[in-house]
Amino acid sequence: MLLFSRQGKLRLQKWYVPLSDKEKKKITRELVQTVLARKPKMCSFLEWRDLKIVYKRYASLYFCCAIEDQDNELITLEIIHRYVELLDKYFGSVCELDIIFNFEKAYFILDEFLLGGEVQETSKKNVLKAIEQADLLQESQNEEWGGLSEDIL
Amino acid sequence: MSDIVERTLTALPGLFLQGQPGGGPAAAKAPFSSRLGGLVRGVTALTSKHEEEKLIQQELSSLKATVSAPTTTLKTMKECMVRLIYCEMLGYDASFGYIHAIKLAQQGNLLEKRVGYLAVSLFLHESHELLLLLVNTVVKDLQSTNLVEVCMALTIVSQIFPREMIPAVLPLIEDKLQHSKEIIRRKAVLALYKFHLIAPNQVQHIHVKFRKALCDRDVGVMAASLHIYLRMIKENSSGYKDLTGSFVTILKQVVGGKLPVDFNYHNVPAPWLQIQLLRILGLLGKDDQRTSELMYDVLDESLRRAELSHNVTYAILFECVHTIYSVYPKSELLEKAAKCIGKFVLSPKINLKYLGLKALTYVVQRDPTLALQHQMTIIECLDHPDPIIKRETLELLYRITNSQNVTVIVQKMLEYLHQSKEEYIIVNLVGKIAELAEKYAPDNAWFIQTMNAVFSVGGDVMHPDISSNFLRLLAEGFDDETEDRQLRVYAVQSYLSLLDVENAFYPQRFLQVMSWVLGEYSYLLDNEKPEEVINRLFKLLMSDSISSETKAWLIAAVTKLTPQAQTSSTVERLIQEFTVSLDTCVRQHTFELKHLHENVEVMKNLLPVNKSCEDLVVDASLSFLDGYVAERLSQGAAPYKPHHQRQEEKLSQEKVLNFEPYGLSFSSSGFTGRQSPAGISLGSDISGNSAETGLKETNSLKLEGVKKLWGKEGYLPKKESKAGEEMEASPAPLENAVSENMDQAGTRRDQAPVLAQSKEEKEKQLLASSLFVGLGSESQINLLGKADNVSHKFRRKSKVKEAKSGEAASARDLTCSSLHSPSHVAHEENDYLTALQDRGSAEAEEFPLGSELLDPESVSELPVVGKLSDCALSAPSLFADSDMEVFHPPSSAAASASAAAPVTAEIALASSFLEETTEDVRSGRVEVCSDETVTMSSYKLWKDDCLLMVWSVATKSGSELKSANLDIFPAENFKTSEQPGCCLPAAEAGSTKTFQYRLQVERPFTEETLSGSVSYQRVDTHAVQLEFSVNLSLLDFIRPLKISTEDFGKLWLSFANDVKQNIKMSEPQAALPSALKTLQEKVRLHVVDVRGNEGLLACRLLPSTPSLLHCRVHADGLALWFRSSCPALPDCLSYQCQKAIEGS
C-alpha cells in the first residue's frame, strides 16, 4: 500500500512496499496521469494493474491510496479523510502550502496514523497527542541547542 | 494550481519565514527553513523541466559538499536531510545522503534523530545494505528511557527493518509489550506484525503474547493486534476458531458504543475496528456452521445500527454484507444483506454504485437471482460514462454468463475491449472472453469469430495459453466427428478470407494460429487447392512485419501442405528465398523443407494428414547413434562432456566463482515449454511417425495439461478425451525396424542389458520429473504412475538393439536429424555420447544384478516374450514394462499411451542433460511368504512421485491357480492404491502374477508395517489365504529436492517448524564430506551447497513436502538443523539422519 498526494507535482509520497526508484517514478507518473484525466463526477476508485486506487481531491491536492482488491474502498476513502482532518487540526486549517513547507511534519503525522501500511491509531486525539509530545520534547531541546550553537558561533 | 502557489509565493515572500501556522516552532528554525523555502520557491517559480533539473542538481551538489564536510553540525545536517528528502521526492537521486541520514539517526538529539529516522524510512528499502548500520541505533533507542526515542525506534522498526536482524531486537520489542504506556505497547504490537509479515517463523513463539495484546485494556493496542490476527486467520482460519467468541464480544461492545468517545468517527464508533472485526469474522465463519452461528446476532446488530448517515457507515455496511455472504448462510440475514445491496446499487452516489456492483459481483456466485432484481440498473451501468463502472459491470456479467446470454455479454465485453488502451485490462478481458467463448459458445461460426476478435485485439499481449488452448481444442475435437469437421472447415475458411483482406495487420500470435490451422486442416476444403493456401502463406512470409518466430510457424505450415500439393513452384521459390535467410532458425526450417521436398515418399510418411493428435514417440537416448559413438570412441575421440560440465571445468580453471545453481537452472531453463522454435531441440528424437507433432512442439506450442472445456452443451466435465482418439499403427519404416528387432529379441541374453538399461532410463525419468515438478505435474504423475512410460521404454529398447545389431542409421534417422537446427544437433549428439557412456558403465555394474533378478523368472517369462513379437506388428511400441516383468496386453497400453507422448518427449529431452544417475531406484527382491503352492516376493520401486510396491506371486511348478487376489490392509499413515491394468489374468502353472500398489504418505512416521494378505484358489477348489507384511521406513518416501542455494535460503526462512540436533563425532572436521555423502546416499538428501564447514541439504517427502537441513561442523560434532513446512517431519528426519550417520 502506498500513499501520496499531489497536484501534478508530488507533495508527499510514502511507499509501504519495497520498490526500486525507477519503478516508483514510473508508477507515480502513470497514476498522476490517470487520476488527473478523470472527471470530477466519476467515482473515486479505479483499477490499476491488480490493485485498486482510491483517490480523493481536497482543494488543490489529490490524495491517492493503492489497496488490494479485497480491501474496503470506502474505508480507505475515510482513511484519507481522517488524515486530512489530522493535518487540518495540527496545522489549523491546513492548506497546500503547509504541506509543501512542512512536509516532514506531514510525514510524522502520517507515521503516527498509519504504520507499515495499516491503520495504527484511529483516535484523532491520541495521534495528535503523540505528535505534540514529540514536538514538545523537540522544542525544548531545540531551544537549548539553538542557544548553544549561537554561543559557539 | 501551480500558478496559484506561484502567485502566493511571490506575493508573500516572507510568509514561511515568519509565521508557520500551527505548532511549528518557527523562530528557531527560520534560517534553515528559509533555505528549504528558498528551494521550494525556486522550484515552483521555474517553468521548464530543464531549469528545474539544473536548479536541483546545483542544490544537490551544494548539499553533497555540506554533508560530507566534517565541520557540518548535526543541526545543519538535519536541514540538509529535509532538503534531500525534497529532492528525492522530485525524482532526483540523492543517494549520497543515505549514509548521513543513518548517521543523523545515530548521533543526533531528539529532533535530529527524528528527521534522521524519517529520512531513512523514506530513502531506504527493506533490503538495502545500509540498513544494517541502523540496527545498533535501533537497539540503543529501544533501551532508552526516553519515551519519544523508544517510539521513534519502534516506528522505524515497523516500517523497514532487515529481516536477518530481527533476532537482535526481538527480545527488546517483546519486553515493550508489557510497557506501561499504551502507545509503546501499540507500536510494539505493530512492529511484531511487521515481523510476522516478513518472517513469520521468527515470531511464532510469541503467539501467546498476541492474545494478551488482544485483551489489552487500551483500545489502540487491541486494534493493533487485530492486524496480526487478520493476517494469521487468513493463513489458517481453523487455528483460531476458539477466538470467535472474543471477536464477537469485542464487536458487540464496539457496535454498542462502549468505547471511549474519541474513537468515534463522525459519530460512528471506531469504524476501522468494526471493519477489521467483520473481516476476521467472515474468514472464521467461512463454511463453518457452528462458528457462524455465534456471529449471526452481532452481524444483525451491525446491519441495524449502521444508520445511513455518512460514507463510513456504508463502508461498514459493505463489509457486513460481505461477511454475511462469506459465512455459513442464514436466510434472514441474507435477505437483509440483499436489501442493503439494493441501497448501494440504487444510490445516486457513484462511489456507492460502484461498491454495489462489486458486492453484487461477489454475491451472484451464491445467488444469481439477485442480479435479476437489479437488471435495469446493471443495464444502465453498462453505458455509464465512467469506464470504471462499466468495467465492474462487465465483471459482474462475466460471473453470470451462461449458454443463453453468452453472445450478448461477450459482445459487450468486446466493445469495451476495443475502447481500452491499457495493457493490463486487455490481457485480463481477453482471457475472460476466451474462457467464456470456450465454455458457452452457441455455434462454430460464433466461436471462431469471437476467437478471431480475441486474437486480433489481444494479439501479442494476451496469455499464451489462450492460443494453445484454442489449437488444442481444434486438434482434439470433441465427441461429434462432423461437428469437429465443421469447426475446422469454418476456421480455415475464415482465416483464408482474413488473409485475403488487403493491408490488414494481424498480431504475430494470431498469424501463428492461422498458419497452424491452415497447415493442418486446409485439406478439408474441397474448393481450395493446397497450392493456393501455400501461395497465401508465402505472401505472408515475404512481408516485413512478420517476426522470425511466426516465419517458423509459416514454414512449418507450408511443409505440412507440400505433400498434398500437386505442383510446387511456390515451395521451390520459398526454398530459394529462405535457404539464404540470415535467421538460423528460419534457414533451418527451410532446409528441412528442402530435404523433405526432394523425397516425396518420406515426406508423405512423415507428414500424414490430420494426425496432429497422434503420439510423438521419442528416442531420448539417441541410441541409433550408438554405433557411431562406439566407432568414434574406438578411433580415439574424446568422450563427450555435457555443456554445463565443460563450463564448470572452465570456470574452475579460471578460478572464478560459479554463481550458477549447479546444473539445475541449465537444464530446466531450456524446457519451460514456451520458447522460440530455435530454443527447443527436439530434433533427432522424433522417430518417424509423427513428426507433425514434433513440428508443433518445435514451434513452442504448449498443449499438455490443458483441460478441454468446450463442448456442445457448454462446460464439459473433464473426461478422457484421449480414449476416443484413433490410434493407428506407426508408419512402415519404424514398424519394420521394430519387428526385426523383436525377432532378435527372443533370447535371454539380450534381455539382461535391456533390463539394466530400462532401469537407467527410469532413473533419468525420475530426475527429469523432479526437474519438471510444477511444470506439468499433472501429466507427469500420469506418466510415472501408469503404464504410460511403457511405450517410451520399449522404443528405447528396440533402438538399442537396432544399434547393437549394427544397423546403420536409416533414412528415417536422416530425415529426423534434419528436422532441427544444426547447432542443436551437434550439441545433443555430444550430450548423448556421454549419456551413452554413462549407461555403458551402468550396464556393466548392473549386469549381475539384472541377470540375477531375471533368473527365477526367466522360465515363466519366456512364453510371454514370445508373444511379444506377435504383437509387435499391431502396436509396435506399446508394451513391455520397464522391468520386463509385467507385460501388458496391448489394448490397455494403447489406450493410455497417447496421453503420455508429448510429456515423454519433454522428459526424454530433459533426461539427456542428467548425468548423476547413480541413485538406485529399486530395492532387492525379498520373499515375504510362501507355502507349498506359491511364493510371494516383493520389492520397492522408489518412483519419483510415490513408492511403488510390487508383489509378485509365483506359482510353484505343478500347481495351477484359478485366481489370486491381493488385499492390502489400510494403514494409518499412508494410503495405498492399486495400479490398474498391471496384472496378467493368466496364472498357469509356474507363472507369476504381479500386483503393483502406489503408496503415498499422509503423515510423517519413522517406521511402519504394511501388511496384507494374498488369497488364491487352486484348481481343486481349495481356497487358501496367506498373510504377509512389509516394513516401510520414512526413507522410502524421501526424495532429493533439487534446488538452488538461493531458493534454499528463501525456503529456509519461510518454514516454521524446526528441530536441532547434535551428533557427537570423533573427528568432526573431517566428517562433513563423509556425513554429507552418507546423507545423500542413505537418506536421499540432495546436497544443495557446501560452504566451509557448513552444508545445505534438501529433500522432499512425497508427494511434495519440502524439508531442509543445515548442518554445521563444530568442535565436538555435527549440528543438524532441520526445517520444514510440515510439523512432524523434522523430528522424523532428524531421527533417520542420526541413524544414518551413526550407522556409517
Side-chain angles (χ1 to χ4, degrees):
Chain A
M1 177 166 159
L2 53 107
L3 187 150
F4 53 97
S5 58
R6 76 251 131 69
Q7 171 267 329
K9 287 200 171 110
L10 215 53
R11 295 294 177 216
L12 204 73
Q13 59 172 349
K14 185 92 188 171
W15 302 79
Y16 293 106
V17 285
L19 287 169
S20 72
D21 286 344
K22 222 173 129 194
E23 263 175 290
K24 285 183 189 174
K25 267 187 221 169
K26 190 172 160 250
I27 294 173
T28 313
R29 206 172 40 236
E30 232 175 87
L31 284 183
V32 169
Q33 271 172 10
T34 350
V35 172
L36 288 183
R38 290 179 62 83
K39 299 182 184 75
K41 281 243 170 127
M42 291 181 169
C43 76
S44 317
F45 319 119
L46 58 106
E47 278 161 51
W48 179 81
R49 301 204 190 161
D50 51 348
L51 295 174
K52 288 247 171 84
I53 305 296
V54 177
Y55 70 93
K56 194 162 183 188
R57 190 180 157 161
Y58 286 91
S60 59
L61 272 181
Y62 282 92
F63 289 71
C64 237
C65 264
I67 55 169
E68 281 165 20
D69 188 47
Q70 68 264 32
D71 289 333
N72 189 320
E73 288 90 348
L74 274 181
I75 203 70
T76 316
L77 215 51
E78 298 316 309
I79 288 176
I80 294 177
H81 189 71
R82 176 40 69 97
Y83 181 49
V84 175
E85 279 182 3
L86 287 168
L87 288 173
D88 197 58
K89 189 99 175 188
Y90 181 76
F91 289 109
S93 168
V94 71
C95 68
E96 192 181 348
L97 285 177
D98 292 324
I99 296 175
I100 299 174
F101 290 107
N102 293 292
F103 64 88
E104 82 272 22
K105 297 241 184 262
Y107 276 122
F108 291 144
I109 296 174
L110 185 60
D111 281 348
E112 282 303 318
F113 177 50
L114 294 176
L115 196 49
E118 300 284 354
V119 178
Q120 179 191 180
E121 180 57 75
T122 57
S123 156
K124 206 197 292 188
K125 207 176 82 190
N126 286 357
V127 175
L128 291 175
K129 213 163 72 190
I131 294 284
E132 269 156 28
Q133 251 176 4
D135 276 352
L136 264 173
L137 274 168
Q138 218 174 269
E139 273 168 45
S140 57
Q141 265 197 345
N142 206 44
E143 270 153 28
E144 272 170 39
W145 251 91
L148 209 65
S149 58
E150 264 164 43
D151 284 349
I152 295 166
L153 291 169
Chain B
M1 169 57 212
S2 65
D3 297 344
I4 304 170
V5 180
E6 209 176 309
R7 250 180 282 138
T8 324
L9 285 169
T10 33
L12 296 166
L15 174 74
F16 27 83
L17 287 176
Q18 292 142 20
Q20 279 172 337
K29 282 165 53 186
F32 301 108
S33 288
S34 71
R35 235 181 262 172
L36 170 70
L39 176 63
V40 174
R41 199 166 21 150
V43 170
T44 328
L46 295 174
T47 44
S48 79
K49 186 79 188 160
H50 181 67
E51 282 175 73
E52 180 193 296
E53 204 177 313
K54 230 167 83 186
L55 183 78
I56 298 285
Q57 290 305 351
Q58 224 177 327
E59 178 71 24
L60 279 175
S61 50
S62 90
L63 278 172
K64 199 170 182 174
T66 322
V67 291
S68 27
T71 49
T72 312
T73 62
L74 289 169
K75 194 171 172 189
T76 329
M77 191 70 93
K78 188 209 84 181
E79 283 313 315
C80 292
M81 263 325 128
V82 176
R83 277 184 290 162
L84 275 178
I85 297 175
Y86 187 78
C87 293
E88 276 254 318
M89 185 161 73
L90 291 177
Y92 297 90
D93 178 45
S95 50
F96 64 86
Y98 294 176
I99 184 73
H100 298 284
I102 290 181
K103 261 199 221 157
L104 191 64
Q106 220 157 40
Q107 300 161 350
N109 62 23
L110 273 180
L111 173 65
E112 291 144 12
K113 208 182 240 320
R114 196 174 175 200
V115 174
Y117 272 132
L118 175 66
V120 169
S121 75
L122 292 172
F123 287 156
L124 303 186
H125 56 86
E126 237 153 54
S127 41
H128 201 286
E129 47 195 358
L130 284 177
L131 215 49
L132 290 175
L133 297 174
L134 194 72
V135 175
N136 242 335
T137 319
V138 170
V139 172
K140 205 178 81 204
D141 285 338
L142 280 176
Q143 289 162 323
S144 159
T145 47
N146 189 327
L147 281 185
V148 180
E149 276 182 353
V150 180
C151 278
M152 285 192 288
L154 285 171
T155 309
I156 193 81
V157 167
S158 329
Q159 291 183 55
I160 40 167
F161 200 74
R163 184 160 58 177
E164 49 292 3
M165 293 313 287
I166 289 175
V169 293
L170 194 55
L172 289 171
I173 292 178
E174 275 179 62
D175 285 346
K176 297 286 178 268
L177 288 175
Q178 268 96 42
H179 202 276
S180 57
K181 277 282 182 198
E182 58 274 356
I183 181 169
I184 305 277
R185 292 204 300 274
R186 191 179 72 216
K187 282 180 191 270
V189 169
L190 281 169
L192 290 176
Y193 169 64
K194 174 77 180 175
F195 291 167
H196 179 78
L197 286 181
I198 56 176
N201 47 330
Q202 303 222 20
V203 289
Q204 236 183 8
H205 60 287
I206 32 183
H207 282 188
V208 187
K209 290 185 176 162
F210 292 154
R211 287 197 184 215
K212 234 185 205 158
L214 182 65
C215 308
D216 200 284
R217 60 186 182 282
D218 181 72
V219 183
V221 183
M222 188 263 288
S225 74
L226 289 183
H227 292 306
I228 301 182
Y229 276 107
L230 180 62
R231 183 79 196 183
M232 293 195 296
I233 290 171
K234 230 183 231 168
E235 283 156 11
N236 167 27
S237 67
S238 59
Y240 301 92
K241 298 270 184 198
D242 57 318
L243 285 174
T244 315
S246 322
F247 292 128
V248 169
T249 323
I250 298 172
L251 184 55
K252 255 187 197 142
Q253 285 172 358
V254 177
V255 175
K258 300 257 166 41
L259 292 191
V261 199
D262 50 277
F263 283 95
N264 283 9
Y265 176 85
H266 295 267
N267 296 328
V268 179
W272 284 277
L273 199 52
Q274 284 195 44
I275 284 172
Q276 200 80 353
L277 284 165
L278 283 169
R279 289 182 68 183
I280 289 178
L281 289 181
L283 289 170
L284 282 174
K286 194 163 191 180
D287 305 322
D288 183 343
Q289 184 171 9
R290 247 191 26 186
T291 316
S292 299
E293 274 164 3
L294 295 174
M295 50 186 91
Y296 288 149
D297 277 348
V298 75
L299 289 178
D300 191 35
E301 192 166 338
S302 296
L303 272 187
R304 219 156 19 84
R305 289 260 184 169
E307 293 143 24
L308 297 175
S309 57
H310 187 267
N311 257 341
V312 76
T313 49
Y314 278 106
I316 295 173
L317 269 185
F318 178 78
E319 207 59 52
C320 217
V321 169
H322 197 277
T323 305
I324 288 173
Y325 272 94
S326 303
V327 302
Y328 191 87
K330 188 188 181 200
S331 55
E332 273 173 62
L333 278 178
L334 289 182
E335 237 169 74
K336 283 183 190 169
K339 250 185 224 158
C340 255
I341 294 178
K343 277 185 210 156
F344 276 95
V345 177
L346 297 173
S347 161
K349 284 186 192 160
I350 184 156
N351 285 346
L352 298 182
K353 209 182 230 17
Y354 175 83
L355 280 181
L357 289 171
K358 191 181 164 192
L360 266 184
T361 312
Y362 182 75
V363 163
V364 283
Q365 293 165 43
R366 306 284 176 98
D367 182 9
T369 50
L370 259 181
L372 294 178
Q373 291 173 22
H374 301 294
Q375 291 181 53
M376 286 328 288
T377 329
I378 294 171
I379 302 289
E380 277 167 30
C381 288
L382 258 186
D383 297 320
H384 203 277
D386 188 345
I388 297 297
I389 298 273
K390 248 191 200 171
R391 173 96 187 72
E392 193 61 36
T393 318
L394 286 178
E395 183 71 32
L396 170 63
L397 291 179
Y398 164 70
R399 300 290 166 97
I400 56 169
T401 311
N402 54 41
S403 47
Q404 275 104 48
N405 59 15
V406 65
T407 35
V408 190
I409 291 179
V410 169
Q411 169 77 25
K412 288 281 175 199
M413 284 174 138
L414 283 175
E415 275 169 25
Y416 187 83
L417 191 61
H418 287 301
Q419 290 163 9
S420 32
K421 303 262 181 303
E422 205 185 312
E423 189 178 309
Y424 184 83
I425 293 182
I426 294 179
V427 172
N428 189 309
L429 215 56
V430 156
K432 283 182 175 149
I433 296 175
E435 191 196 324
L436 291 180
E438 281 191 19
K439 267 193 203 167
Y440 301 116
D443 59 65
N444 291 333
W446 181 88
F447 177 63
I448 296 292
Q449 270 162 10
T450 308
M451 290 313 280
N452 284 353
V454 163
F455 288 135
S456 46
V457 180
D460 296 323
V461 295
M462 72 186 182
H463 202 266
D465 276 359
I466 297 177
S467 54
S468 318
N469 271 357
F470 174 71
L471 291 186
R472 187 184 178 84
L473 196 75
L474 276 184
E476 284 180 355
F478 28 108
D479 304 331
D480 188 352
E481 199 52 46
T482 50
E483 195 64 13
D484 282 354
R485 195 188 158 81
Q486 273 176 12
L487 181 66
R488 289 168 189 166
V489 169
Y490 192 87
V492 171
Q493 279 169 344
S494 91
Y495 294 155
L496 285 178
S497 59
L498 278 177
L499 286 183
D500 284 339
V501 178
E502 289 291 320
N503 294 328
F505 172 79
Y506 303 109
Q508 301 300 320
R509 203 165 287 143
F510 192 19
L511 290 174
Q512 290 166 8
V513 168
M514 284 189 200
S515 54
W516 189 85
V517 171
L518 291 179
E520 282 298 323
Y521 299 117
S522 327
Y523 75 92
L524 292 171
L525 284 193
D526 306 324
N527 54 349
E528 200 81 32
K529 282 191 188 148
E531 290 85 358
E532 286 164 36
V533 181
I534 292 180
N535 282 340
R536 288 199 182 91
L537 293 174
F538 182 68
K539 214 172 88 192
L540 263 183
L541 261 175
M542 297 307 289
S543 80
D544 299 330
S545 55
I546 305 290
S547 75
S548 67
E549 192 188 347
T550 313
K551 278 186 184 155
W553 282 78
L554 285 164
I555 295 179
V558 172
T559 313
K560 284 179 221 168
L561 289 173
T562 311
Q564 299 160 28
Q566 309 297 326
T567 56
S568 48
S569 57
T570 322
V571 177
E572 272 151 22
R573 256 183 75 202
L574 186 148
I575 292 172
Q576 242 178 11
E577 195 77 37
F578 287 100
T579 40
V580 292
S581 162
L582 285 180
D583 189 308
T584 0
C585 177
V586 170
R587 200 167 64 232
Q588 171 62 28
H589 281 274
T590 323
F591 269 105
E592 288 163 18
L593 176 60
K594 188 179 162 198
H595 285 290
L596 287 174
H597 190 55
E598 284 161 5
N599 189 345
V600 181
E601 267 318 296
V602 173
M603 190 168 199
K604 279 192 175 153
N605 272 332
L606 195 62
L607 303 166
V609 167
N610 190 20
K611 292 291 186 296
S612 65
C613 289
E614 304 261 310
D615 304 335
L616 161 74
V617 186
V618 168
D619 176 9
S621 66
L622 285 179
S623 47
F624 52 84
L625 288 172
D626 280 8
Y628 175 75
V629 174
E631 195 187 310
R632 300 298 300 174
L633 281 174
S634 65
Q635 282 171 11
Y640 170 71
K641 285 176 190 144
H643 179 67
H644 58 96
Q645 196 183 334
R646 269 177 291 152
Q647 232 174 16
E648 268 165 38
E649 275 173 18
K650 206 167 124 203
L651 281 171
S652 61
Q653 276 163 11
E654 285 168 6
K655 304 251 187 288
V656 179
L657 275 177
N658 181 13
F659 291 105
E660 291 283 311
Y662 294 93
L664 183 79
S665 73
F666 176 70
S667 40
S668 59
S669 62
F671 302 101
T672 37
R674 269 178 241 131
Q675 309 89 340
S676 69
I680 240 180
S681 45
L682 259 188
S684 37
D685 303 346
I686 302 166
S687 51
N689 69 332
S690 36
E692 270 193 70
T693 331
L695 280 175
K696 207 168 70 187
E697 281 279 307
T698 318
N699 285 331
S700 77
L701 242 191
K702 190 185 156 213
L703 290 185
E704 54 275 358
V706 182
K707 283 182 201 151
K708 185 186 169 198
L709 286 173
W710 190 51
K712 221 180 158 188
E713 298 82 24
Y715 183 78
L716 282 181
K718 197 180 149 201
K719 55 175 156 182
E720 290 291 316
S721 57
K722 315 265 177 169
E725 277 165 34
E726 33 178 348
M727 285 293 308
E728 282 183 27
S730 313
L734 177 70
E735 212 167 282
N736 294 338
V738 172
S739 57
E740 260 173 47
N741 288 324
M742 285 318 298
D743 290 341
Q744 298 159 0
T747 55
R748 213 184 100 199
R749 223 167 298 139
D750 275 358
Q751 293 255 329
V754 169
L755 181 74
Q757 272 184 8
S758 51
K759 230 167 128 178
E760 167 84 14
E761 183 64 33
K762 195 152 221 170
E763 283 160 14
K764 283 186 175 181
Q765 271 198 8
L766 196 82
L767 282 166
S769 54
S770 73
L771 273 179
F772 283 91
V773 164
L775 264 180
S777 53
E778 204 185 30
S779 34
Q780 215 165 303
I781 286 167
N782 181 12
L783 176 80
L784 286 167
K786 286 190 201 155
D788 297 343
N789 43 4
V790 165
S791 63
H792 180 49
K793 296 284 152 49
F794 191 76
R795 179 59 33 96
R796 255 191 64 108
K797 193 183 83 180
S798 63
K799 287 287 178 72
V800 172
K801 282 188 202 117
E802 197 178 315
K804 272 205 182 104
S805 53
E807 280 181 21
S810 62
R812 165 169 51 95
D813 292 327
L814 284 175
T815 50
C816 288
S817 49
S818 79
L819 266 173
H820 70 113
S821 58
S823 61
H824 280 290
V825 176
H827 179 60
E828 279 201 354
E829 272 173 14
N830 288 340
D831 243 356
Y832 282 116
L833 295 191
T834 336
L836 289 170
Q837 266 193 337
D838 274 8
R839 206 178 46 206
S841 59
E843 262 174 46
E845 269 171 36
E846 304 199 357
F847 189 89
L849 174 70
S851 52
E852 182 193 277
L853 277 169
L854 226 98
D855 262 329
E857 296 151 35
S858 51
V859 182
S860 61
E861 274 177 17
L862 278 174
V864 192
V865 177
K867 267 199 285 182
L868 259 177
S869 47
D870 299 334
C871 308
L873 279 168
S874 59
S877 63
L878 301 169
F879 39 89
D881 183 83
S882 52
D883 303 301
M884 297 297 290
E885 285 176 336
V886 191
F887 289 100
H888 303 274
S891 60
S892 73
S896 49
S898 65
V903 186
T904 316
E906 254 185 52
I907 289 184
L909 277 169
S911 65
S912 71
F913 288 96
L914 298 166
E915 301 306 315
E916 307 163 280
T917 47
T918 50
E919 196 188 47
D920 204 356
V921 288
R922 165 185 170 166
S923 74
R925 183 177 286 269
V926 182
E927 191 178 300
V928 287
C929 63
S930 65
D931 67 354
E932 66 278 5
T933 27
V934 296
T935 311
M936 174 128 178
S937 55
S938 80
Y939 62 88
K940 298 169 182 172
L941 260 178
W942 291 296
K943 291 212 168 213
D944 192 54
D945 62 329
C946 69
L947 173 69
L948 199 63
M949 286 295 303
V950 182
W951 280 280
S952 23
V953 182
T955 326
K956 285 180 184 161
S957 54
S959 41
E960 244 173 81
L961 302 186
K962 263 174 88 179
S963 67
N965 280 312
L966 189 75
D967 274 322
I968 298 297
F969 304 139
E972 192 186 355
N973 288 329
F974 36 77
K975 60 170 186 263
T976 51
S977 55
E978 194 175 354
Q979 287 285 93
C982 287
C983 45
L984 277 181
E988 296 149 18
S991 73
T992 311
K993 179 167 178 172
T994 309
F995 302 91
Q996 295 190 11
Y997 277 83
R998 287 167 65 91
L999 267 65
Q1000 293 276 19
V1001 199
E1002 308 227 284
R1003 227 170 309 150
F1005 59 93
T1006 45
E1007 299 279 344
E1008 191 84 13
T1009 316
L1010 181 70
S1011 41
S1013 69
V1014 60
S1015 54
Y1016 62 91
Q1017 204 167 21
R1018 294 182 55 162
V1019 181
D1020 46 4
T1021 66
H1022 171 67
V1024 181
Q1025 189 168 27
L1026 279 178
E1027 295 215 348
F1028 62 87
S1029 63
V1030 183
N1031 277 327
L1032 293 173
S1033 142
L1034 180 71
L1035 295 186
D1036 291 328
F1037 299 96
I1038 296 292
R1039 301 285 178 271
L1041 178 65
K1042 312 230 156 171
I1043 52 173
S1044 66
T1045 314
E1046 209 170 85
D1047 292 337
F1048 184 95
K1050 277 183 209 149
L1051 277 177
W1052 183 264
L1053 289 171
S1054 65
F1055 289 158
N1057 309 293
D1058 59 355
V1059 165
K1060 289 183 195 173
Q1061 175 124 24
N1062 268 314
I1063 298 177
K1064 288 218 165 126
M1065 289 188 142
S1066 48
E1067 266 182 89
Q1069 290 309 324
L1072 186 69
S1074 73
L1076 291 184
K1077 200 161 165 257
T1078 313
L1079 291 177
Q1080 190 173 15
E1081 282 167 7
K1082 295 206 178 156
V1083 198
R1084 292 203 197 93
L1085 297 175
H1086 170 65
V1087 180
V1088 178
D1089 205 353
V1090 182
R1091 290 189 175 169
N1093 59 351
E1094 293 177 41
L1096 308 178
L1097 299 101
C1099 68
R1100 63 195 166 89
L1101 174 69
L1102 291 175
S1104 61
T1105 317
S1107 180
L1108 306 176
L1109 164 63
H1110 173 259
C1111 51
R1112 192 170 56 81
V1113 173
H1114 57 81
D1116 52 358
L1118 194 62
L1120 302 178
W1121 188 359
F1122 295 87
R1123 272 199 184 170
S1124 170
S1125 52
C1126 165
L1129 189 55
D1131 261 330
C1132 302
L1133 261 182
S1134 138
Y1135 170 76
Q1136 298 286 3
C1137 289
Q1138 197 181 0
K1139 219 170 70 176
I1141 291 178
E1142 281 168 0
S1144 71

